[in-house]
Amino acid sequence: MAAAAGESSTTNVSDELFQNFYTEVKQIEKRDSVLTNKQQIDRLLRPGSSYFNLNPFEVLQIDPEATDDQLKKRFRALSILVHPDKNQDEQDRSQKAFEAVDKAYKLLLEPDQRKRALDVIHAGQEYVEHHVKEKKKQLKKDGKSLDMEEDNPEVFKQAVYKQTMKLFAELEIKRKEREAKDMHERKRAREEEIEVADKAKRDREWQKNFEETRDGRVDSWRTFQAKGKKSKEKKPRSFLKPPKVKMEQRE
């Protein structure tokens, strides 16, 4: 019983820690929605922002189920807040932050892009729900308590958030791989085109040179033949002379 009490005590402390942690996370999220100019710029350019900002809803800090009117109002408020004209002391950083906000807004204006972003978020939620369901099955099979951290709405929300960011990152990595592959293929195709064009140019130049020098080659051959013919005509014909026979003198 002591062991059980100890285990229960540890569980309660753990639950309390998690509860406090996610309460703090919730407070931070609420505070972030009213960040100052500089704080918003820092948020949009924080380390890892290239992946954090893949989620357009996260960039604009707006609910995925927000209406078009709510989206427009949120973009207007946030874009004014981080606009370079409002942040003269750090225009370079504010320009980058503004571009991130503008990109997210324009993406969500495209029905296909917005649906794709929503699909990723829903996929993240479904993954966490499936994980919780499977884990509860295993706990039941093992005869253990079915209570899980994810039963806490804030913990569940944070788990979905992490999984969603992971999915966005994986999709971006795959996109970059496809882009690099396409670029390589285009480069190779271009190199082949250049090689074919160079060969065709060399062939044309050779043919042109061949045509231009053909008359000269023909004249040279005719001159050579004429010289050979004259040489044969001037050379006298020679005949073999029989050897002289020396007569023997008789005594």
Side-chain angles (χ1 to χ4, degrees):
M1 291 182 65
E7 183 178 348
S8 176
S9 176
T10 301
T11 302
N12 290 336
V13 171
S14 178
D15 289 343
E16 184 177 354
L17 288 173
F18 273 105
Q19 181 62 40
N20 291 338
F21 172 74
Y22 287 106
T23 298
E24 184 179 353
V25 169
K26 188 66 176 178
Q27 291 172 349
I28 292 173
E29 290 177 350
K30 185 176 181 179
R31 183 204 67 194
D32 284 353
S33 64
V34 289
L35 291 176
T36 63
N37 301 39
K38 186 179 186 308
Q39 289 171 330
Q40 283 288 7
I41 292 172
D42 290 341
R43 178 184 71 85
L44 292 166
L45 301 181
R46 66 194 185 277
S49 60
S50 59
Y51 285 102
F52 285 120
N53 293 348
L54 292 174
N55 184 346
F57 298 104
E58 170 68 16
V59 172
L60 298 175
Q61 295 180 312
I62 192 170
D63 190 278
E65 305 302 328
T67 64
D68 290 343
D69 188 54
Q70 290 173 325
L71 175 63
K72 184 177 181 179
K73 288 180 179 179
R74 180 54 186 162
F75 166 71
R76 184 182 180 86
L78 190 55
S79 62
I80 291 174
L81 200 61
V82 301
H83 198 281
D85 291 346
K86 297 288 186 180
N87 300 275
Q88 296 288 335
D89 57 330
E90 49 179 354
Q91 285 198 331
D92 290 342
R93 297 184 74 245
S94 61
Q95 179 63 37
K96 292 179 181 178
F98 177 79
E99 289 172 358
V101 172
D102 186 61
K103 180 180 179 181
Y105 177 63
K106 288 179 178 177
L107 186 148
L108 292 179
L109 288 180
E110 294 289 335
D112 291 343
Q113 295 291 343
R114 185 169 184 172
K115 181 180 182 303
R116 189 172 292 111
L118 284 172
D119 287 344
V120 174
I121 292 173
H122 293 156
Q125 182 173 342
E126 290 173 0
Y127 176 89
V128 175
E129 289 174 347
H130 177 74
H131 171 73
V132 171
K133 184 178 180 181
E134 291 300 312
K135 194 171 181 180
K136 283 184 177 290
K137 282 184 180 180
Q138 188 61 45
L139 289 172
K140 184 177 181 180
K141 183 178 179 181
D142 296 340
K144 297 180 181 179
S145 172
L146 301 184
D147 294 336
M148 293 179 60
E149 297 169 357
E150 288 81 359
D151 293 336
N152 184 319
E154 294 303 325
V155 176
F156 180 83
K157 181 179 178 181
Q158 189 65 12
V160 172
Y161 171 80
K162 290 180 179 179
Q163 183 60 29
T164 298
M165 294 309 301
K166 182 180 178 182
L167 291 176
F168 272 112
E170 289 175 350
L171 289 174
E172 178 64 7
I173 291 171
K174 290 180 180 179
R175 185 193 69 78
K176 287 183 177 180
E177 289 176 348
R178 288 196 303 270
E179 189 177 79
K181 183 179 179 180
D182 291 343
M183 185 179 296
H184 175 73
E185 292 295 331
R186 288 195 299 269
K187 181 180 178 182
R188 188 179 68 175
R190 180 56 181 161
E191 289 174 348
E192 290 178 353
E193 288 177 3
I194 292 174
E195 184 178 351
V196 170
D198 287 345
K199 184 179 183 302
K201 182 180 179 180
R202 290 194 300 270
D203 291 344
R204 288 194 302 269
E205 290 176 349
W206 183 90
Q207 187 66 29
K208 181 181 178 182
N209 183 64
F210 179 82
E211 295 292 339
E212 289 176 348
T213 59
R214 180 175 58 182
D215 293 341
R217 292 195 305 274
V218 171
D219 290 343
S220 296
W221 175 248
R222 287 173 178 171
T223 300
F224 172 76
Q225 286 183 319
K227 286 182 178 180
K229 186 176 181 181
K230 289 179 181 180
S231 177
K232 290 180 179 179
E233 290 176 353
K234 290 180 180 180
K235 187 176 181 180
R237 296 180 66 183
S238 60
F239 299 95
L240 293 175
K241 295 181 179 181
K244 293 181 179 182
V245 181
K246 186 176 181 180
M247 301 296 293
E248 292 185 359
Q249 294 182 355
R250 294 183 180 180
E251 295 181 357

